[in-house]
Amino acid sequence: MYAQAMQEFGLDGAGVNVCIIDSGVDYNHPELGGCWKTEGCPWQLGYDFLGDEYRGEGTPLKPSDFPMDCLGHGTHVAGIIAGRGPQVHGVAPGATFGMYRVYSCPVNGSSYTDSSILLQAAEAAYNDGCNVINVSLGLTGWSEDAFGVYLSTLVDKGVNVAAAVGNDGVNGLQVASAPAVSHNLISVGSVENWSNTGNATTISTPAGERTIGISERGRNDVEFIFPSNTPVVLFEDDDGGYTGCNPTGADYTGSVVVVNRSDCPSETQGDIVQSQGGIGMIVINNVPGFTVMGLNEGTTIPAVTVRNEDGEFIINGIEQGDSTLVANFNTSATIDSPTAGLMSNFSSYGPSPELDLVPLISAPGANMWSTVPLNQGSYRSSSGTSLSSPYIAGCVALIRQRFPKMSAQQISHILITSATPLVDLKNNFKVNPYRSGSGLVNVYNAVRSRVFIDPPYIGINQTRWSQPSNLDDQGVRTISYSLNFTNTDAEKSASVMLTHQPATSYTLYDKQGNYDATFLEAEIMRAWPPGNSSVDQSTVPQV
């Protein structure tokens, strides 16, 4: 939709300052401009606030003159907004950009920052004249988080702030991250991408050769990179299967080992493959699409998943004889996603701890092909609300370019109210707003919008726009809201029609009101209605 808005209205974010608070940026990347604060350079704003060696409280801050990214996260985020092609096309490539580096270089997988550094970065971004700030970071918390409170005040001063809602969707309700839960911020959930462009491996077997798309690297962040003619073998279970769930006497030294996704955790599979000499692991998924492998801290081999249809080729080929593979940064593949347009399972659920609506909107955030530092391979596919948030930041830049006189609040309202509600395919009801917010961003609708709606949503405990009554005789409070519709076009009338569409209800409680941990163990929440269009009242979840 942003491409349609760019073409029809000539929008690219020009004249808007978009700033990113993150781990830095490899500004030398050719698709990000290849420059820093020179004439004509897209990167004119930003600083390094801590340096490479910061390790938390008690260690010195040694900021450098340039916010160079050694973690990779910030460069990936930057590409989604600022990418200039040919591989990565950002949402608002014509904007002026700033990077405010707040994370040190990783040590043993950990990078460091603290709240004082985050506050300094936010203050500097405001003083530098940033119109839009993206914050793809956070932990589960409250709206009163100091960083979130400060960002909220910036919205009152005219700055739009997009914030990732978090990646804890498998942990149930009310797990959204701070600062995204803070008032005024545009909290962003993740939708599955329509196509998956990512790294690939070429596997050669007696049955033929195929270049196969692979998932993101496993949770240990070890790249799946192997030279030509690296042996690839099947993990042979004692019972004849290929699960790798139990140790065997086989020696897989020097080989990449293939296993089927099974009932045992990928952490167990990774430990066993590594203990038997494997130098890498490929897990064949048992459902459509990819998943990201969880790995234990001591697992140092790279691990990826492949689609189940590619798994058939791999197994049949290796069973016929010796097979090899090659995998490098130069090999990629694009595959249609079977889950396109659905909410990502990792995307955190609301509501906020104060029962406010989060996320407010959703955008593509799964399997996003974007830039990474040149020394990390230049490009990578990654997933997370960290990547849907910059998509929204870019959309905000397009809207600000289109409507330069609108306030930050008005722009947020237009963005939210123009989104497309998502459908829950389990029951054909709308996805619950605490899952998706107002739905999938539709910036084309936003830049064509003529009607301004205030407030843009009504949530539980929503007292910012109206106050509840006193208790009545039955101990009940009531609250009334006024919806205001403003036609911004003086030459055309606008018709308003109000309708109601039911949405799926989520709960972690059974029908008797008892908390049921099995909902979390199954990585889904009990949904109501379960699949039919009408249900008896007795099935309504008691929360």
Side-chain angles (χ1 to χ4, degrees):
M1 287 298 181
Y2 79 83
Q4 190 174 3
M6 294 172 76
Q7 292 172 3
E8 184 169 332
F9 296 97
L11 302 176
D12 62 359
V16 181
N17 293 339
V18 180
C19 299
I20 303 167
I21 298 176
D22 214 294
S23 65
V25 62
D26 186 349
Y27 44 83
N28 292 318
H29 199 296
E31 296 205 29
L32 296 178
C35 56
W36 180 254
K37 291 187 178 181
T38 56
E39 185 176 354
C41 181
W43 298 95
Q44 293 292 332
L45 307 169
Y47 312 93
D48 176 11
F49 287 89
L50 71 177
D52 295 350
E53 301 176 3
Y54 181 71
R55 299 293 177 263
E57 188 174 350
T59 57
L61 297 171
K62 298 179 180 178
S64 69
D65 294 332
F66 308 98
M68 178 55 73
D69 185 13
C70 51
L71 185 61
H73 188 272
T75 303
H76 203 279
V77 166
I80 292 171
I81 315 174
R84 298 185 160 203
Q87 289 204 42
V88 178
H89 298 274
V91 179
T96 298
F97 296 99
M99 176 58 74
Y100 298 78
R101 183 190 179 199
V102 295
Y103 281 100
S104 60
C105 292
V107 175
N108 298 324
S110 296
S111 189
Y112 296 84
T113 190
D114 64 39
S115 57
S116 64
I117 293 172
L118 296 175
L119 287 167
Q120 287 180 58
E123 183 178 27
Y126 173 70
N127 290 335
D128 285 347
C130 296
N131 307 120
V132 184
I133 296 176
N134 183 77
V135 183
S136 291
L137 52 89
L139 296 171
T140 301
W142 291 76
S143 64
E144 288 81 4
D145 167 81
F147 183 46
V149 169
Y150 183 76
L151 291 173
S152 181
T153 65
L154 296 188
V155 179
D156 293 330
K157 295 180 179 181
V159 181
N160 286 106
V161 181
V165 78
N167 303 323
D168 294 314
V170 297
N171 293 328
L173 298 169
Q174 291 189 280
V175 292
S177 296
V181 296
S182 293
H183 304 307
N184 294 333
L185 275 61
I186 304 172
S187 51
V188 187
S190 173
V191 169
E192 294 290 297
N193 209 344
W194 275 255
S195 61
N196 300 335
T197 298
N199 294 112
T201 180
T202 300
I203 297 181
S204 301
T205 75
E209 181 179 281
R210 181 183 293 185
T211 297
I212 293 172
I214 57 179
S215 72
E216 304 166 37
R217 57 190 180 179
R219 296 298 186 194
N220 60 356
D221 288 341
V222 179
E223 299 286 1
F224 193 84
I225 300 295
F226 294 99
S228 299
N229 300 318
T230 298
V232 56
V233 300
L234 297 169
F235 190 106
E236 298 185 12
D237 300 331
D238 290 336
D239 62 3
Y242 303 127
T243 67
C245 290
N246 294 290
T248 66
D251 182 5
Y252 298 120
T253 300
S255 296
V256 173
V257 181
V258 177
V259 300
N260 280 317
R261 189 176 181 186
S262 184
D263 293 336
C264 68
S266 57
E267 289 86 350
T268 298
Q269 293 171 306
D271 286 348
I272 291 173
V273 167
Q274 180 171 281
S275 70
Q276 294 185 210
I279 59 174
M281 180 173 73
I282 295 175
V283 180
I284 299 171
N285 207 359
N286 55 4
V287 295
F290 300 101
T291 187
V292 179
M293 289 294 93
L295 296 169
N296 287 325
E297 188 173 334
T299 303
T300 58
I301 61 173
V304 294
T305 60
V306 298
R307 300 179 302 165
N308 48 9
E309 54 263 46
D310 289 322
E312 295 177 10
F313 166 81
I314 295 173
I315 291 175
N316 292 336
I318 296 177
E319 285 178 338
Q320 294 184 35
D322 293 343
S323 303
T324 63
L325 63 75
V326 58
N328 54 51
F329 288 131
N330 298 321
T331 306
S332 63
T334 299
I335 301 165
D336 290 339
S337 172
T339 55
L342 302 181
M343 289 301 299
S344 304
N345 64 350
F346 58 77
S347 188
S348 291
Y349 290 77
S352 75
E354 296 165 312
L355 303 182
D356 205 356
L357 178 62
V358 290
L360 291 179
I361 198 168
S362 296
N367 297 298
M368 301 293 281
W369 182 252
S370 187
T371 49
V372 294
L374 298 177
N375 62 7
Q376 295 181 21
S378 301
Y379 305 96
R380 181 185 302 135
S381 179
S382 293
S383 298
T385 57
S386 283
L387 310 176
S388 51
S389 182
Y391 193 103
I392 291 295
C395 290
V396 169
L398 300 183
I399 300 171
R400 290 191 75 119
Q401 181 184 7
R402 171 75 170 158
F403 303 117
K405 295 183 179 180
M406 279 193 176
S407 69
Q409 291 283 17
Q410 288 175 320
I411 288 172
S412 295
H413 290 190
I414 285 178
L415 183 77
I416 294 166
T417 57
S418 62
T420 303
L422 296 168
V423 176
D424 189 331
L425 297 183
K426 294 188 297 295
N427 51 34
N428 290 322
F429 279 60
K430 300 301 182 185
V431 174
N432 191 294
Y434 287 135
R435 178 74 162 135
S436 65
S438 57
L440 177 64
V441 61
N442 190 324
V443 72
Y444 181 65
N445 280 352
V447 298
R448 294 188 306 151
S449 177
R450 295 190 295 116
V451 176
F452 178 72
I453 306 173
D454 185 42
Y457 66 91
I458 298 172
I460 301 173
N461 197 29
Q462 187 60 270
T463 57
R464 279 186 284 165
W465 295 301
S466 187
Q467 293 297 317
S469 67
N470 294 324
L471 292 173
D472 63 17
D473 294 340
Q474 297 180 339
V476 175
R477 296 180 189 271
T478 59
I479 188 168
S480 299
Y481 294 95
S482 296
L483 289 178
N484 300 302
F485 299 88
T486 303
N487 183 5
T488 61
D489 191 334
E491 298 181 358
K492 294 182 181 179
S493 61
S495 299
V496 176
M497 181 175 64
L498 297 179
T499 61
H500 170 71
Q501 295 179 321
T504 302
S505 176
Y506 296 114
T507 180
L508 292 176
Y509 296 82
D510 62 21
K511 288 185 288 186
Q512 288 70 45
N514 300 313
Y515 177 79
D516 192 339
T518 59
F519 295 137
L520 286 180
E521 293 168 2
E523 294 190 355
I524 59 172
M525 275 164 292
R526 177 169 165 259
W528 176 88
N532 45 336
S533 58
S534 62
V535 295
D536 184 83
Q537 187 177 1
S538 64
T539 66
V540 176
Q542 305 300 308
V543 180

